[in-house]
DNA sequence: AATTTACTTGACTGTTTAGTCAACAAGCAA
DNA sequence: TTGCTTGTTGACTAAACAGTCAAGTAAATT
């Protein structure tokens, strides 16, 4: 039960922040969900903010890296991107937290910007692997379209446009 | 001073919600900013939520409509979109509020979805005016790219990619 | 077995916050 | 002037919430 509490806390905190936002999230909800008490959480994390920053590092950033480092081709990349609406039920966690936090807290701003940069680099590397020209700009185009289309999907509650927009982009590369 | 208080309240509320999010916003800050007292606000709005929904209607949606109904050509549309980073200092207000609220409160979900639909229709109409084929999908493509690029701009604090991504999209129409 | 370290408990504190209310003032119509 | 509607005041309430702490238990170290 040593590592378990900390990891369970991060899992539950990720889910809660993902749905309610960082500011809207209630620590009591997380504690109740994990089935532990206050002091136990404050043993591992010195504040709600500390918990939030660790969620970005050890959940959001880590999931992103795991997902995209295994991607080898452009086709594979688009397949992964197109499968997003099934899993990202409240939108893109990185995007959502960025929109909320970057102009509110500079520590969040730093870690979220860094995480985004990693994401962009991973996409760029996939493009370079197949010698796509102008990979830096193309990576940004792909991410921009992906993030925007995901938002439209959630606002419309309709995945049709999400996949068609991404497939149209794929053809233009 | 009859209409003034209500309008000043909506202006300040819009700015505060835009920066801090709806949940993170503090009513006392808004009241202090406008220079009035609690009861005065609750004379015009029955709750914070009521204020929030009215901000969406009378500020976010109205600004959007005013901005895009005057746009007549595709070139003009992209000029307006490309000028966004200078004015939208905390990102796209509609996108930001949507990411925060659509899975938290169904009244916000409804009004934000409706507002988004209006936005999409306006863009589509500009495309149709110049007989762009497949205007429904193209409108979604433009908005997706625009929203995503705006996010990247804010996370990177660098506008270069924003304009190049949008200009690249313009050429593909 | 003894002692230190790691983890847990849950009541408690202090603050922040949305929302209420009764009394008061201004604008206006008769 | 009188009365009515609209808007304003600011103290008050009640709840929610992040964070603390002293005392306890479990686990590892010697």
């Amino acid at each position: 039960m040593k590592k378990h509490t900390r990891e369970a806390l991060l899992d539950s905190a990720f889910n809660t922040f993902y749905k309610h936002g960082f500011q809207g999230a209630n620590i009591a909800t997380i504690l109740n969900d994990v089935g532990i008490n206050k002091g136990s959480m404050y043993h591992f994390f010195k504040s709600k903010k500390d918990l939030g920053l660790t969620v970005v590092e050890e959940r959001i950033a880590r999931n992103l890296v795991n997902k995209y480092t295994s991607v080898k081709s452009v086709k594979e990349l688009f397949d992964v991107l197109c499968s997003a609406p099934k899993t990202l039920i409240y939108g893109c966690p990185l995007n959502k937290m960025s929109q909320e936090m970057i102009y509110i807290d500079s520590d969040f701003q730093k870690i979220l910007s860094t995480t985004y940069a990693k994401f962009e680099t991973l996409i760029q590397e996939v493009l370079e692997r197949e010698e796509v020209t102008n990979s830096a700009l193309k990576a940004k185009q792909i991410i921009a379209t992906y993030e925007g289309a995901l938002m439209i999907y959630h606002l419309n509650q309709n995945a049709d446009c999400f996949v068609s927009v991404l497939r149209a982009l794929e053809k233009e590369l």
Side-chain angles (χ1 to χ4, degrees), chain A:
Chain A
M1 236 207 239
K2 219 185 342 188
K3 273 259 156 168
H4 173 258
T5 303
R6 205 188 102 105
E7 296 302 305
L9 221 28
L10 286 172
D11 286 336
S12 177
F14 169 78
N15 289 327
T16 311
F17 294 156
Y18 182 29
K19 178 168 184 191
H20 294 92
F22 177 75
Q23 298 176 105
N26 185 345
I27 286 185
T29 306
I30 298 169
L31 297 172
N32 193 53
D33 181 45
V34 177
I36 59 166
N37 292 86
K38 270 244 166 108
S40 201
M41 189 212 109
Y42 282 91
H43 173 73
F44 292 103
F45 305 97
K46 75 172 202 287
S47 63
K48 185 188 182 187
K49 175 174 164 175
D50 183 26
L51 179 62
L53 293 172
T54 311
V55 162
V56 178
E57 268 185 331
E58 300 190 18
R59 288 294 178 278
I60 297 179
R62 200 163 293 175
N63 287 352
L64 222 59
V65 171
N66 289 343
K67 199 170 187 178
Y68 293 97
T69 39
S70 57
V71 171
K72 295 298 166 202
S73 68
V74 173
K75 198 198 164 315
E76 216 181 319
L77 170 63
F78 276 89
D79 287 344
V80 170
L81 294 176
C82 285
S83 72
K86 289 173 194 70
T87 51
L88 302 179
I89 56 166
Y90 301 123
C92 171
L94 176 60
N95 188 355
K96 198 169 168 174
M97 197 168 228
S98 298
Q99 299 250 11
E100 183 186 2
M101 300 303 293
I102 54 171
Y103 289 112
I104 287 180
D105 185 291
S106 66
D107 293 312
F108 273 95
Q109 187 273 322
K110 272 174 220 146
I111 201 170
L112 289 163
S113 299
T114 306
T115 305
Y116 170 75
K118 268 184 220 158
F119 179 36
E120 201 179 276
T121 303
L122 286 169
I123 306 295
Q124 205 180 327
E125 279 167 3
V126 174
L127 300 178
E128 277 165 1
R129 203 167 288 134
E130 298 194 352
E131 290 171 346
V132 172
T133 57
N134 217 343
S135 62
L137 179 64
K138 296 248 168 81
K140 287 185 175 78
Q141 276 183 285
I142 292 168
I143 296 172
T145 312
Y146 164 72
E147 295 288 352
L150 195 55
M151 182 213 68
I152 295 175
Y153 158 71
H154 284 284
L155 262 174
N156 283 346
Q157 287 295 312
N158 181 351
D160 295 350
C161 84
F162 178 85
V163 175
S164 20
V165 166
L166 275 178
R167 288 299 176 202
L169 177 66
E170 191 180 6
K171 277 171 198 145
E172 277 156 16
L173 283 184

